[in-house]
Amino acid sequence: MPKLGILISGRGSNMDAILQHIQTGNLKAEVSVVISNKSSAKGLELAKSHGVSTQVFDPKGFDDLESYETAIIGCLDSYNVDLVVLAGYMKLVGDPLLTRYENRMVNIHPSLLPSFKGLNAQQQALDYGVKYSGCTVHYVTKEMDSGPIIKQAVVPVLNDDTVESLSNRILIEEHKIFAVAIQEVLAEI
Ligand code: GRF
């Protein structure tokens, strides 16, 4: 089975959806390790409840981004991870990870890229007044939220939407397309 290493920072609902797709046989892969940059990430408990190994690497414990990411790479390599999955990992990825996992690292973003990169994508969509938004799975490259697009899903933006209602509608699609995109990428590795 191809091995995934999932990086998170918080809730972990996308990570959970990936684990569920694996359990139901939709996604032919295994999650070797879940890594968080925050010890408080709720997703860590969720991962443990699935019996998945977890690790916390707090950037504060390292001199710089390079030594921090070198430690993460050491962990991922120790599990022979085939694909790195950023699932709500709220930290810019630096050169060490980009080099080690070139074309083998994917991210999910809650907008139809290239629109609304960066933080608060759903609020950006509401502020702009778009009538459709969605989510995007893409390869991770040096520029944030800019790598080649693998899969997208579209949702309508309703007149009375709040950030919460729009985020929830998008999240439902995130939980569907991430696993499909991962399966496609794994077929090419
Ligand atoms: C998702 O909206 C994802 O698109 C973005 O961060 C959020 C993570 O949510 N990158 P969760 O931790 O997977 O629940």
Side-chain angles (χ1 to χ4, degrees):
M1 276 292 184
K3 296 180 172 62
L4 309 180
I6 303 184
L7 269 59
I8 64 168
S9 299
R11 182 174 61 179
S13 73
N14 276 289
M15 173 210 74
D16 191 50
I18 290 166
L19 285 162
Q20 286 183 31
H21 283 296
I22 289 173
Q23 271 156 18
T24 55
N26 285 339
L27 175 57
K28 311 269 183 287
E30 65 184 65
V31 178
S32 300
V33 63
V34 169
I35 295 174
S36 174
N37 62 324
K38 289 183 191 293
S39 58
S40 59
K42 291 224 164 64
L44 288 169
E45 291 312 313
L46 213 45
K48 283 179 198 157
S49 74
H50 284 276
V52 176
S53 302
T54 62
Q55 290 278 339
V56 175
F57 291 94
D58 185 342
K60 291 195 202 93
F62 295 88
D63 288 342
D64 50 27
L65 184 69
E66 189 169 341
S67 52
Y68 163 72
E69 289 199 346
T70 301
I72 292 181
I73 291 169
C75 175
L76 293 167
D77 283 355
S78 74
Y79 286 97
N80 288 317
V81 160
D82 297 296
L83 182 71
V84 177
V85 176
L86 307 186
Y89 177 64
M90 304 300 284
K91 193 165 165 50
L92 263 185
V93 175
D95 283 335
L97 268 171
L98 285 168
T99 305
R100 180 71 184 89
Y101 287 97
E102 194 179 7
N103 298 321
R104 292 195 297 137
M105 182 159 40
V106 296
N107 179 48
I108 189 156
H109 182 76
S111 78
L112 292 175
L113 291 173
S115 295
F116 313 131
K117 297 173 182 175
L119 292 175
N120 305 318
Q122 301 93 336
Q123 182 68 62
Q124 291 184 55
L126 289 174
D127 291 347
Y128 201 93
V130 291
K131 300 299 177 197
Y132 291 91
S133 190
C135 48
T136 304
V137 182
H138 64 93
Y139 286 101
V140 178
T141 55
K142 202 170 177 57
E143 241 181 278
M144 186 182 56
D145 299 330
S146 297
I149 289 172
I150 302 160
K151 214 157 204 63
Q152 294 185 305
V154 180
V155 304
V157 180
L158 307 180
N159 288 337
D160 59 353
D161 261 338
T162 60
V163 171
E164 196 188 1
S165 62
L166 178 58
S167 300
N168 289 340
R169 193 174 308 118
I170 293 172
L171 198 61
I172 291 169
E173 300 306 315
E174 292 187 39
H175 293 167
K176 292 181 198 160
I177 67 163
F178 214 176
V180 178
I182 289 168
Q183 192 72 79
E184 283 180 16
V185 169
L186 288 174
E188 286 171 17
I189 285 179

